[in-house]
């Protein structure tokens, strides 16, 4: 059999998705089902004095109304339990859920919501992350913070009451590093609040049976994390709760919150009917989760010869009203700064900070993308300061196998250098192509590059079952999620490889905690690496059972047997083989086959990825599963008359270990770049002075379309040659790293084109025009006059 | 939105009788489907698809576009490509294929958004609009049709039936759209230019900008400046200043006043050049 690894087989869900038969929770309905709508606060911070739903409850078709207090859940969170399903006494951001209605239709529920009367006692909110971080913040969001339950102790900061967690990685001697440097480069960088805009809005349907068994059908991207947090919030035994997912219309880290599960469960319990809650697109922006806006300060010391001597980073993560997965973002974002470059004197400190804004949690990259926005722009500034080519500067400092990174990890399977060199060459090809045609009038072109990485969390684990049916078909069951990235396809490929079967004879079952084993979710780019390893181990266990059985049947030692294409072969004499069917016995009714002893051929396994224990500076030999590495070069074309930036070409190379399915890897790279173009040039949630998000819709929150991507000949994508020694068939993960290079490469290209350095994302046409005007005013007063001034009394309409 | 009904009248009179402040005419529905969410008073949609006409016709002297003609129809019409290329460009930059297949010219104009893309392109070919209301049928210059953002002289009591403009061999046009992305973008500024030429002399100029005022605007001073002038004698910087000083856009969620003002003047100038040099 030709190998199934490294092959672009079609996705296992392709037909269902193309023919529209794939099931999404958003579209599902059950008999007798009620619809939930959430009442949302109209203040950013304050006490709920009273909620009067009597008028709403009197409406025909309205079945129940619950306040946060009536739901009665325990505070939940990821490590730090600070979040109720719905606000109880205190509202912490504009749009926070404070009550929920169940009605016969969504329309009735919407009408009923308008009839609920809420009285608040407003308090002074804090929106600015630096103010919130201060020792005397205008508002303290969680006065009881230090008494909350935790499963992993948060690192609070004394005298900074809004900091919910902090982290630090440190090595070397910063002061010495700066002393040994020729140039210091120091800047502050910012990123905006953005949202994942998954195609399928968040939703859930809950059912409660008479015996109290709970089933929740939900659109989420962490099956077991959601189940476990949900069980803890409602004090439910694990055996009584079944969580199911179906086709999930995108996750990107944004579907790990249990709000939809929580409100539907509470209402289902109250009404005895299945209850469904679909977020509207508008609600997705405020009622789900967003990416942390950040303020990042970086101070670099470099030598004239290009050696990066010291780097000190401070990251303020604006976390919104609750910590959610933001707790982990605080820690995880630090790895961005240690993954790619050798820095002998190093420190990163990060802080998760409450503000009166919609919750920030995981978003493709877990904070790593924001940190690298800063560091990868800094790299260009460092290179410029010492008159070095930006890629040469990176290559001079890039980590190679055997080095110790700034977290003192021993570097292995790091192909960053290979990626950078490929991009360097690729950019020459791109330049040559683009410059064949003359530049259109009023346009300027620029090129920029960036490196980038994403670590994958550890310790971590996944489990799998692998079963062979009597017809020889092999099924793997995993708890890992398939929100569209292709996990089930690559796991099926691994089964096909191990059992030497065609793709049609293997399948993956997932998305059901009742029948699928534990996993930690499709987060942290971990799914292929961890689920793949679990599948591999469980498959080996299954094969062991088959061989042991066949050994008796064939009278050949098990070690000499090999399972392939539904047969068991004697490796000493391949002509000697039996059909796997022959391992079964025919039942007395002659209706079916069964395994007479030992049960079904069903392997199970746990894959556990450990780390080495960190020291007091959070350093150790190994802190993570792996690093995805990458580099990207981007060509931009800027219209000097409108400030509009067009992405003309993208050259990408990523190291994802051995690619199981190269086309899936390529589309991840392209999709990640596209998502990052949005964050670089378009996306920002805008809040007014009251804290209300005023562009919570797709008319005014702008995301890229395919027309904003250079999809055809100017998008060159390379998968680096790489093999991770612990990965399944050498594979690592990829999803998040694909966003890390793009925004800095764009900013670096814009700088190359117009000589203006931008420090804040997104970079808008308005800002570009304003900066061009400033430059014109400095350089050529006559020109400046022409492009900005000359004010006569203005007239409209004439 | 509870209890929203759609009625399908069978003749103009029946349709007109249904129109009031709580009804919406629905043609392609691409604006209406969104507007019903924010206008709870609207209880009835009056579907005009059975009673208004669709299609593009060429007469000896003019081109007629019926109200139900879609953006796609306009884009693909050789008649429009020949006589009003700016309109072809404008319609082909509306939204994306799906919306262009549904959205109509009648709807784009009746919606009277200051950002509507077909409007400047229709204005620069001196389009006349025909509408009917209780008083009967009226034909007026399109430039006199708009009274404010979302407002027209029909005052929600009329139906646009068709547009007509004269075929002019000496007319060159061009259109430019500035949006926040390359598709599905509401114009931050849009601009159309029409030049009636006698050789290289500008007999008459239409310079129209959208999204910079409550309605799409002719920039009178700039038009007067070009009137009767040879193109080679046009001082493009003076033209720029005239446009710049004639408009007073506002800040909104999509952009800033300062940006719009500068970019409007910039694109007016570049569209003028394109119309003269590249337009037909
Ligand atoms: C995804 C999506 C895309 C869309 N794209 C478009 C599109 O490209 N084109 C389109 O026509 N419609 C588009 N629409 C429809 C659009 O919502 C409405 O048609 C249009 O009315 C814009 O509404 P608005 O309230 O933002 O703008 P309006 O308030 O009607 O104004 C639009 C612009 O005109 C200017 N303006 C308004 N009033 C004044 C004033 N008093 N003084 C000075 N300037 C003023 C401002 O610059 C303002 O941005 C789209 C809708 C959706 C959902
Ligand atoms: C996603 C999206 C993107 C868009 N992008 C653009 C864009 O790029 N550029 C742009 O200009 N527009 C854009 N629009 C707005 C919209 O598609 C256009 O304005 C379109 O031409 C409207 O035509 P329609 O037939 O769909 O109008 P409808 O929605 O049916 O009606 C629009 C308005 O006009 C009224 N009306 C319609 N027909 C008549 C008539 N014959 N007589 C009297 N009143 C009438 C309706 O009552 C309503 O007020 C966009 C809309 C969406 C949803």
């Amino acid at each position: 059999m030709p190998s199934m690894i490294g092959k672009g087989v079609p996705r296992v869900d392709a037909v269902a998705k193309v023919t529209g038969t794939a099931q999404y929770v958003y579209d599902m309905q059950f008999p007798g089902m009620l619809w939930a709508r959430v009442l949302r606060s109209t203040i950013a911070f304050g006490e709920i004095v009273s909620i009067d739903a009597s008028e709403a409850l009197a409406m025909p078709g309205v079945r129940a109304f619950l306040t946060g207090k009536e739901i009665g859940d325990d505070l939940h969170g990821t490590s730090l339990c600070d979040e109720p399903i719905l606000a109880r006494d205190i509202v912490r951001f504009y749009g926070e859920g404070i009550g929920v209605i169940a009605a016969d239709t969504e329309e009735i529920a919407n009408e009923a919501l308008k009839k609920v009367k809420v009285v608040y006692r407003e308090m002074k909110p804090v929106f600015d992350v630096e103010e919130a971080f201060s020792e005397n913040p205008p508002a303290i969001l969680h006065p009881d913070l230090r008494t909350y339950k935790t499963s992993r102790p948060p690192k609070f900061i004394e005298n900074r009451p809004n900091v919910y967690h902090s982290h630090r990685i440190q090595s070397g001697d910063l002061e010495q590093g700066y002393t040994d440097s020729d140039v210091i480069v120091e800047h502050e960088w910012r990123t905006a609040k953005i949202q994942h805009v998954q195609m399928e809005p968040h939703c859930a349907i809950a059912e409660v049976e008479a015996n109290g068994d709970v089933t929740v059908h939900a659109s989420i991207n962490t099956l077991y994390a959601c189940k476990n947090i949900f069980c803890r919030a409602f004090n439910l035994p694990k055996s009584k709760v079944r969580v199911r997912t179906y086709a999930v219309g995108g996750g990107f880290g944004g579907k790990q919150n249990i709000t939809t599960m929580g409100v539907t469960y509470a209402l289902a319990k109250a009404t005895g009917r299945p209850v469904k809650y679909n977020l509207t697109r508008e609600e997705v922006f405020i009622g789900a989760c967003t990416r942390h806006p950040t303020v990042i300060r970086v101070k670099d010391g470099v030598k004239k010869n290009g050696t990066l001597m010291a780097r000190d980073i401070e990251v303020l993560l604006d976390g919104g009203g609750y910590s959610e997965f933001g707790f982990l973002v605080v820690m995880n974002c630090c790895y961005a700064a240690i993954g790619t470059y050798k820095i002998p004197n190093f420190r990163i400190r990060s802080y998760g900070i409450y503000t009166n804004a919609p919750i920030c949690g995981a978003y493709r990259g877990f904070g790593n993308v924001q940190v690298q926005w800063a560091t990868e722009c800094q790299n260009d500034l460092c290179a410029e300061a010492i008159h070095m080519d930006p890629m040469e500067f990176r290559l001079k400092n890039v980590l190679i196998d055997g080095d110790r990174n700034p977290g003192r990890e021993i570097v292995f399977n790091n192909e960053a250098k290979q990626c950078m060199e490929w991009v360097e060459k690729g950019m020459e090809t791109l330049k040559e192509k683009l410059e064949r045609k003359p530049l259109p009038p009023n346009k300027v072109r620029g090129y920029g590059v960036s490196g980038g990485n994403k670590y994958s969390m550890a310790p971590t684990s996944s489990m799998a079952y692998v079963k062979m049916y009597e017809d020889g078909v092999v099924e793997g069951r995993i708890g890992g999620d398939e929100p569209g990235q292709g996990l089930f396809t690559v796991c099926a490929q691994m089964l096909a490889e191990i059992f030497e079967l065609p793709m049609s004879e293997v399948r993956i079952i997932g998305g059901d905690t009742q029948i699928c084993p534990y996993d930690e979710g499709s987060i942290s780019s971990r799914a292929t690496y961890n689920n793949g390893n679990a599948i591999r181990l469980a498959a080996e266990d299954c094969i062991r059972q088959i061989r042991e059985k066949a050994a008796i049947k064939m009278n050949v030692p098990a070690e000499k047997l090999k399972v392939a294409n539904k047969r068991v072969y004697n490796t000493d004499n391949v002509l000697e083989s039996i059909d796997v069917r022959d391992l079964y016995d025919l039942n007395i009714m002659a209706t079916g086959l069964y395994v007479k002893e030992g049960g079904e051929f069903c392997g199970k396994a746990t894959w556990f990825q450990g780390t080495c224990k960190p020291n007091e500076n959070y350093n150790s030999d190994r802190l993570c599963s792996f690093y995805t590495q990458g580099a990207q070069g981007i060509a931009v074309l800027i219209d000097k008359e409108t400030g509009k930036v067009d992405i003309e070409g993208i050259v990408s190379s990523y190291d994802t270990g051995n690619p199981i399915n190269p086309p899936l890897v390529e589309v991840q790279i392209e999709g990640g770049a596209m998502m990052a173009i949005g964050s670089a040039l378009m996306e920002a949630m805008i809040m007014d002075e009251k804290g209300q998000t005023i562009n919570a819709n797709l008319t005014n929150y702008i995301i890229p379309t395919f027309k904003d991507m250079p999809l055809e000949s100017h998008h060159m994508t390379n998968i680096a040659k790489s093999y991770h020694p612990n990965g399944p068939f050498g594979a690592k993960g990829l999803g998040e790293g694909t966003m890390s290079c793009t925004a800095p490469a764009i900013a670096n290209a814009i700088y190359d084109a117009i000589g203006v350095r931008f420090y804040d994302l997104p970079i808008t046409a308005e800002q570009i025009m304003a900066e061009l005007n400033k430059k014109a005013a400095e350089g050529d007063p006559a020109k400046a006059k022409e492009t900005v001034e000359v004010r006569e009394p203005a007239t409209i309409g004439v | 939105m509870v209890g929203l009904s759609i009625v399908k009248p069978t003749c103009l009179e029946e349709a007109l009788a249904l129109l009031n402040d709580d009804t919406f005419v629905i043609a392609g529905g691409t604006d209406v489907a969104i507007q019903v969410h924010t206008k709870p008073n609207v209880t009835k949609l009056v579907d005009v698809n059975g009673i208004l006409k669709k299609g593009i016709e060429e007469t000896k002297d003019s081109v007629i576009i019926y109200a139900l003609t879609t953006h796609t129809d306009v884009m693909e019409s050789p008649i429009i490509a020949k006589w009003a290329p700016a309109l072809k460009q404008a319609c082909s930059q509306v939204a994306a294929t799906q919306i262009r297949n549904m959205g109509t010219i009648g709807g784009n104009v009746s919606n009277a958004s200051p950002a509507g893309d077909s409007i400047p392109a229709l204005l620069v070919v001196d389009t006349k609009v025909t509408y009917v209301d209780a008083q009967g049928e009226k034909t007026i210059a399109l430039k006199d049709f708009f009274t404010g953002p979302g407002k027209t002289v029909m005052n929600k009591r009329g139906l646009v039936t068709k547009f007509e403009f004269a075929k002019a061999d000496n007319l060159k046009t061009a259109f430019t759209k500035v949006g926040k992305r390359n598709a599905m973008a509401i114009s931050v500024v849009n601009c159309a230019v029409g030049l009636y030429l006698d050789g290289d002399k500008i007999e008459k100029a239409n310079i129209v900008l959208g999204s910079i005022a409550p309605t799409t605007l002719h920039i009178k001073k700039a038009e007067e400046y070009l009137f009767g002038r040879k193109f080679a004698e046009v001082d493009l910087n003076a033209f720029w200043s005239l446009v710049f000083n004639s408009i007073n856009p506002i800040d909104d969620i999509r952009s800033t006043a300062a940006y719009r003002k500068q970019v409007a003047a910039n694109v007016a100038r570049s569209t003028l050049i394109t119309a003269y040099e590249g337009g037909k």
Side-chain angles (χ1 to χ4, degrees), chain A residues 111 641-642 644 646 694-695 699-700 703 707-708 765-766 769 773 786-790 792 795 797-798, chain B residues 2 178-183 186 217 220 237 240 244-247 253-255 259 262-263 266 269-270:
Chain A
E111 287 305 304
E641 297 228 301
T642 64
K644 190 160 179 300
D646 270 317
I694 54 173
N695 63 339
T699 306
N700 293 320
I703 59 170
K707 286 244 169 134
D708 302 294
E766 285 77 2
M769 284 311 277
N773 289 341
E786 188 233 309
T787 32
V788 259
E789 265 326 306
V790 272
E792 282 168 25
T795 45
V798 199
Chain B
V2 176
V178 180
K180 298 251 126 191
R181 60 184 166 199
N182 294 332
I186 300 175
L217 278 192
K220 284 273 169 55
N237 292 336
W240 185 95
F244 187 85
N245 290 316
S246 299
I247 57 176
I253 196 157
R254 274 185 286 284
S255 192
Y259 176 82
Q262 183 182 1
V263 169
N266 287 351
R269 181 175 55 192
S270 61

XYZ file of all heavy atoms in Angstrom, chain A residues 111 641-642 644 646 694-695 699-700 703 707-708 765-766 769 773 786-790 792 795 797-798, chain B residues 2 178-183 186 217 220 237 240 244-247 253-255 259 262-263 266 269-270:
403
model
N -39.579 39.661 21.795
C -40.580 40.641 22.213
C -40.638 40.702 23.736
O -40.712 41.774 24.322
C -41.966 40.269 21.655
C -42.107 40.519 20.162
C -41.769 41.953 19.774
O -42.381 42.885 20.334
O -40.860 42.136 18.923
N -3.203 58.273 -2.740
C -4.352 59.181 -2.780
C -5.457 58.762 -1.823
O -6.313 59.572 -1.477
C -4.919 59.227 -4.197
C -3.912 59.777 -5.193
C -4.530 60.841 -6.070
O -5.504 60.517 -6.746
O -4.031 61.985 -6.054
N -5.492 57.490 -1.445
C -6.570 57.023 -0.564
C -6.034 56.361 0.705
O -6.810 56.073 1.611
C -7.467 55.990 -1.277
O -6.672 54.827 -1.564
C -8.045 56.532 -2.564
N -5.108 53.443 0.930
C -5.529 52.042 0.945
C -4.332 51.122 0.725
O -3.488 51.374 -0.128
C -6.552 51.822 -0.163
C -7.212 50.482 -0.083
C -8.524 50.504 -0.860
C -9.190 49.146 -0.802
N -8.368 48.076 -1.365
N -3.154 47.429 -0.369
C -3.505 46.154 -0.991
C -2.375 45.175 -0.751
O -1.203 45.520 -0.913
C -3.719 46.324 -2.495
C -5.170 46.651 -2.815
O -6.041 46.002 -2.211
O -5.416 47.557 -3.628
N -20.123 49.682 19.443
C -21.012 50.306 18.457
C -20.881 49.695 17.063
O -21.654 50.030 16.188
C -20.804 51.844 18.394
C -19.334 52.183 18.143
C -21.295 52.498 19.673
C -19.104 53.654 17.900
N -19.946 48.816 16.884
C -19.886 48.154 15.567
C -19.998 46.638 15.700
O -19.313 45.891 15.016
C -18.621 48.563 14.802
C -17.356 48.137 15.511
O -17.351 47.896 16.714
N -16.273 48.034 14.757
N -21.713 44.824 9.180
C -21.685 45.981 8.283
C -20.520 46.883 8.664
O -19.835 47.423 7.800
C -23.002 46.775 8.375
O -24.077 45.883 8.150
C -23.044 47.878 7.340
N -20.311 47.031 9.952
C -19.320 48.004 10.400
C -18.078 47.408 11.063
O -17.119 48.120 11.315
C -19.980 49.009 11.348
C -20.984 49.860 10.619
O -20.731 50.275 9.483
N -22.128 50.100 11.214
N -14.181 42.608 8.095
C -13.221 41.498 7.980
C -12.879 41.320 6.506
O -13.646 41.747 5.648
C -13.784 40.185 8.567
C -15.076 39.780 7.860
C -14.022 40.312 10.062
C -15.566 38.393 8.217
N -11.501 38.760 -1.919
C -10.953 39.767 -2.830
C -9.793 40.550 -2.199
O -9.125 41.313 -2.867
C -12.064 40.739 -3.233
C -13.038 40.126 -4.209
C -12.959 40.863 -5.520
C -13.699 40.133 -6.592
N -14.535 41.042 -7.363
N -9.610 40.394 -0.901
C -8.507 41.096 -0.239
C -7.264 40.221 -0.123
O -6.275 40.616 0.473
C -8.965 41.575 1.144
C -10.163 42.487 1.044
O -10.001 43.589 0.483
O -11.265 42.097 1.455
N -6.512 53.143 6.547
C -6.254 54.099 5.472
C -6.225 55.523 6.017
O -5.419 56.353 5.588
C -7.326 53.960 4.390
N -7.088 55.778 7.005
C -7.139 57.120 7.596
C -5.798 57.463 8.248
O -5.285 58.580 8.104
C -8.258 57.199 8.651
C -9.667 57.269 8.094
C -10.199 55.923 7.610
O -9.494 54.895 7.731
O -11.322 55.897 7.086
N -3.112 58.092 5.581
C -3.225 59.423 4.975
C -2.707 60.488 5.939
O -1.987 61.405 5.541
C -4.686 59.729 4.602
C -5.174 59.025 3.367
S -4.081 59.175 1.939
C -4.583 60.751 1.299
N 0.382 62.942 5.183
C 0.242 64.401 5.251
C 1.333 65.002 6.122
O 1.939 66.011 5.775
C -1.124 64.791 5.823
C -2.249 64.505 4.847
O -2.010 64.360 3.642
N -3.463 64.412 5.348
N -0.991 71.727 -0.619
C -1.899 71.152 -1.607
C -2.690 69.979 -1.060
O -3.871 69.827 -1.345
C -1.087 70.714 -2.830
C -1.962 70.281 -3.987
C -1.592 68.922 -4.480
O -0.408 68.674 -4.750
O -2.512 68.091 -4.571
N -2.052 69.162 -0.271
C -2.782 67.967 0.167
C -3.623 68.144 1.427
O -4.502 67.352 1.651
C -1.861 66.748 0.383
O -0.614 67.224 0.814
C -1.730 65.899 -0.829
N -3.368 69.174 2.227
C -4.250 69.289 3.401
C -4.988 70.606 3.550
O -6.192 70.605 3.775
C -3.530 69.048 4.743
C -3.801 67.678 5.259
C -2.066 69.359 4.663
N -4.278 71.688 3.435
C -4.874 72.928 3.958
C -5.879 73.628 3.046
O -6.781 73.002 2.557
C -3.766 73.864 4.444
C -3.533 73.709 5.947
C -4.786 73.389 6.754
O -5.776 74.122 6.650
O -4.797 72.388 7.490
N -5.670 74.866 2.784
C -6.590 75.757 2.056
C -8.030 75.660 2.530
O -8.844 74.986 1.934
C -6.534 75.565 0.504
C -5.469 76.443 -0.085
C -6.396 74.121 0.113
N -11.415 77.525 2.949
C -12.347 78.637 2.800
C -13.579 78.225 3.591
O -13.691 77.082 3.972
C -12.759 78.785 1.325
C -11.727 79.453 0.452
C -12.106 79.281 -1.015
O -13.315 79.109 -1.295
O -11.203 79.321 -1.844
N -18.908 74.863 2.011
C -20.301 74.917 1.587
C -20.768 73.519 1.249
O -20.034 72.735 0.685
C -20.454 75.785 0.330
O -19.414 75.419 -0.570
C -20.403 77.246 0.641
N -23.603 71.352 -0.863
C -24.729 71.361 -1.789
C -24.576 72.324 -2.941
O -24.931 71.980 -4.050
N -23.990 73.416 -2.714
C -23.807 74.467 -3.714
C -25.082 74.666 -4.534
O -25.295 73.985 -5.518
C -22.612 74.179 -4.657
C -22.188 75.485 -5.333
C -21.459 73.580 -3.899
N -42.046 40.967 14.374
C -43.136 39.998 14.540
C -44.308 40.451 13.687
O -44.669 41.615 13.677
C -43.563 39.909 16.027
C -44.747 38.978 16.184
C -42.404 39.440 16.862
N -14.043 54.195 -3.088
C -13.093 53.977 -1.996
C -13.863 53.294 -0.869
O -14.811 53.864 -0.328
C -12.491 55.308 -1.491
C -11.515 55.046 -0.349
C -11.824 56.052 -2.624
N -13.469 52.059 -0.593
C -14.144 51.302 0.468
C -13.119 50.729 1.417
O -11.915 50.886 1.223
N -13.597 50.055 2.439
C -12.677 49.539 3.464
C -12.124 48.167 3.108
O -11.337 47.589 3.850
C -13.394 49.478 4.814
C -13.839 50.830 5.302
C -13.036 51.299 6.484
C -12.451 52.649 6.217
N -11.473 53.108 7.131
N -12.618 47.610 2.024
C -12.045 46.351 1.525
C -12.452 46.226 0.062
O -13.190 47.065 -0.457
C -12.501 45.157 2.369
C -14.000 44.974 2.376
C -14.448 43.839 3.293
N -15.895 43.945 3.507
C -16.551 43.375 4.490
N -15.919 42.644 5.362
N -17.858 43.520 4.608
N -12.028 45.139 -0.579
C -12.184 45.063 -2.028
C -13.523 44.513 -2.498
O -13.784 44.464 -3.697
C -11.046 44.238 -2.633
C -9.714 44.952 -2.456
O -9.669 46.182 -2.381
N -8.638 44.200 -2.373
N -14.360 44.064 -1.592
C -15.720 43.650 -1.954
C -16.585 43.849 -0.727
O -16.064 44.015 0.369
C -15.749 42.177 -2.367
N -19.240 49.265 1.964
C -19.990 50.494 1.783
C -18.983 51.583 1.427
O -17.942 51.693 2.064
C -20.736 50.878 3.077
C -21.699 49.757 3.463
C -21.457 52.208 2.909
C -22.408 49.980 4.784
N -23.658 64.413 -4.273
C -23.567 65.828 -4.647
C -22.867 66.092 -5.967
O -21.823 65.497 -6.245
C -22.690 66.559 -3.628
C -23.245 67.035 -2.327
C -22.207 67.964 -1.698
C -24.547 67.774 -2.537
N -20.545 71.812 -7.789
C -20.856 72.883 -8.734
C -19.636 73.719 -9.115
O -19.399 74.009 -10.283
C -21.935 73.806 -8.137
C -23.321 73.201 -8.177
C -23.997 73.487 -9.502
C -25.276 72.686 -9.716
N -26.265 72.843 -8.651
N -4.457 71.207 -9.659
C -4.407 71.568 -8.240
C -5.509 72.545 -7.864
O -6.087 72.463 -6.782
C -3.036 72.144 -7.876
C -1.965 71.059 -7.961
O -2.275 69.872 -7.851
N -0.725 71.471 -8.188
N -8.509 70.528 -7.610
C -8.483 69.810 -6.323
C -8.986 70.712 -5.193
O -9.830 70.326 -4.395
C -7.045 69.345 -6.058
C -6.883 68.492 -4.828
C -6.884 67.142 -4.771
C -6.711 68.946 -3.478
N -6.723 66.706 -3.484
C -6.621 67.798 -2.662
C -6.629 70.209 -2.867
C -6.443 67.864 -1.282
C -6.457 70.283 -1.480
C -6.363 69.117 -0.712
N -12.118 70.293 -2.721
C -11.822 70.224 -1.291
C -12.650 71.249 -0.514
O -13.214 70.970 0.541
C -10.321 70.460 -1.089
C -9.861 70.257 0.317
C -9.538 68.988 0.777
C -9.728 71.335 1.191
C -9.093 68.787 2.080
C -9.292 71.145 2.493
C -8.967 69.870 2.935
N -12.732 72.445 -1.074
C -13.416 73.514 -0.352
C -14.925 73.495 -0.518
O -15.625 74.250 0.140
C -12.845 74.861 -0.788
C -11.432 75.022 -0.268
O -11.144 74.716 0.888
N -10.530 75.454 -1.145
N -15.407 72.642 -1.395
C -16.857 72.600 -1.616
C -17.562 71.607 -0.722
O -18.780 71.560 -0.698
C -17.149 72.198 -3.067
O -16.614 73.134 -3.954
N -16.817 70.773 -0.031
C -17.493 69.692 0.687
C -17.203 69.749 2.183
O -16.192 70.273 2.611
C -17.073 68.303 0.134
C -15.555 68.118 0.217
C -17.574 68.147 -1.295
C -15.080 66.757 -0.216
N -18.908 56.008 11.721
C -18.259 54.772 12.157
C -17.293 54.246 11.105
O -16.370 53.514 11.406
C -19.325 53.731 12.542
C -18.703 52.604 13.346
C -20.048 53.198 11.322
C -19.672 51.863 14.196
N -17.517 54.630 9.847
C -16.660 54.078 8.796
C -15.413 54.905 8.532
O -14.429 54.390 8.031
C -17.446 53.909 7.492
C -18.189 52.593 7.442
C -18.855 52.393 6.119
N -20.027 53.224 5.973
C -21.191 52.981 6.554
N -21.335 51.929 7.313
N -22.208 53.788 6.380
N -15.475 56.208 8.806
C -14.304 57.019 8.503
C -14.398 58.376 9.182
O -15.331 58.646 9.924
C -14.170 57.184 6.986
O -12.904 57.715 6.688
N -10.429 62.643 6.566
C -10.025 61.670 5.550
C -10.920 61.793 4.318
O -10.446 61.872 3.189
C -10.121 60.259 6.126
C -9.827 59.157 5.128
C -8.518 58.799 4.835
C -10.860 58.479 4.473
C -8.249 57.791 3.920
C -10.598 57.475 3.559
C -9.290 57.130 3.288
O -9.025 56.131 2.379
N -10.192 64.993 2.157
C -8.971 64.921 1.362
C -9.091 63.877 0.253
O -8.744 64.129 -0.904
C -7.784 64.578 2.269
C -6.467 64.550 1.513
C -5.299 64.170 2.407
O -5.460 63.910 3.591
N -4.120 64.151 1.820
N -9.599 62.709 0.630
C -9.659 61.625 -0.351
C -10.692 61.928 -1.433
O -10.502 61.599 -2.604
C -9.929 60.279 0.366
C -10.263 59.179 -0.621
C -8.695 59.889 1.178
N -8.934 64.068 -3.780
C -7.954 63.252 -4.520
C -8.623 62.412 -5.596
O -8.165 62.360 -6.731
C -7.198 62.321 -3.558
C -6.195 63.063 -2.688
O -5.942 64.245 -2.898
N -5.645 62.374 -1.709
N -10.009 64.328 -8.550
C -8.949 64.675 -9.495
C -8.529 63.457 -10.328
O -8.442 63.540 -11.558
C -7.744 65.244 -8.735
C -6.597 65.664 -9.642
C -5.492 66.333 -8.846
N -5.035 65.460 -7.764
C -4.249 65.871 -6.761
N -3.851 67.136 -6.708
N -3.885 65.041 -5.822
N -8.309 62.321 -9.667
C -7.845 61.164 -10.448
C -8.949 60.629 -11.364
O -8.674 60.155 -12.461
C -7.280 60.072 -9.536
O -8.276 59.615 -8.658
